[in-house]
């Protein structure tokens, strides 16, 4: 999960928990919102702490062949 998806889940969870006020038979919308927010925070932490450093590791490779160019001088 990327940073954008994690933030989207946090926002969606906050909307379900704090902004919506309706009842669905057998489903508590507040609990669904908290689950979305917790999942978004965990996804954000995993993205930043675990998968983030892997993307920043770069290797610099040297050219495979070096050529030496010498100028020819006329006598």
């Amino acid at each position: 999960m990327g940073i954008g998806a994690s933030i989207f889940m946090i926002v969606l969870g906050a909307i379900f928990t704090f902004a919506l006020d309706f009842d669905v038979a057998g489903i508590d919308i507040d609990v669904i919102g908290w689950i979305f927010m917790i999942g978004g925070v965990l996804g954000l932490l995993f993205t930043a702490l675990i998968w983030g450093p892997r993307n920043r590791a770069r290797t610099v490779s040297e050219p495979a062949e070096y050529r030496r160019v010498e100028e020819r001088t006329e006598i």
Side-chain angles (χ1 to χ4, degrees):
M1 179 183 323
I3 293 174
S6 298
I7 292 174
F8 177 75
M9 282 184 63
I10 293 170
V11 170
L12 188 65
I15 290 171
F16 279 0
T17 302
F18 303 117
L20 296 180
D21 188 25
F22 65 92
D23 294 325
V24 178
I27 298 175
D28 190 3
I29 297 297
D30 290 339
V31 172
I32 300 293
W34 282 108
I35 290 171
F36 272 126
M37 284 193 287
I38 291 169
V41 168
L42 288 176
L44 192 62
L45 287 175
F46 284 151
T47 301
L49 299 177
I50 295 174
W51 291 293
R54 291 184 188 173
N55 293 336
R56 283 186 237 127
R58 300 281 187 244
T59 58
V60 177
S61 62
E62 297 292 325
E65 179 182 334
Y66 290 101
R67 292 187 177 199
R68 184 175 179 181
V69 178
E70 294 180 12
E71 290 187 25
R72 218 163 112 177
T73 57
E74 297 292 326
I75 302 180

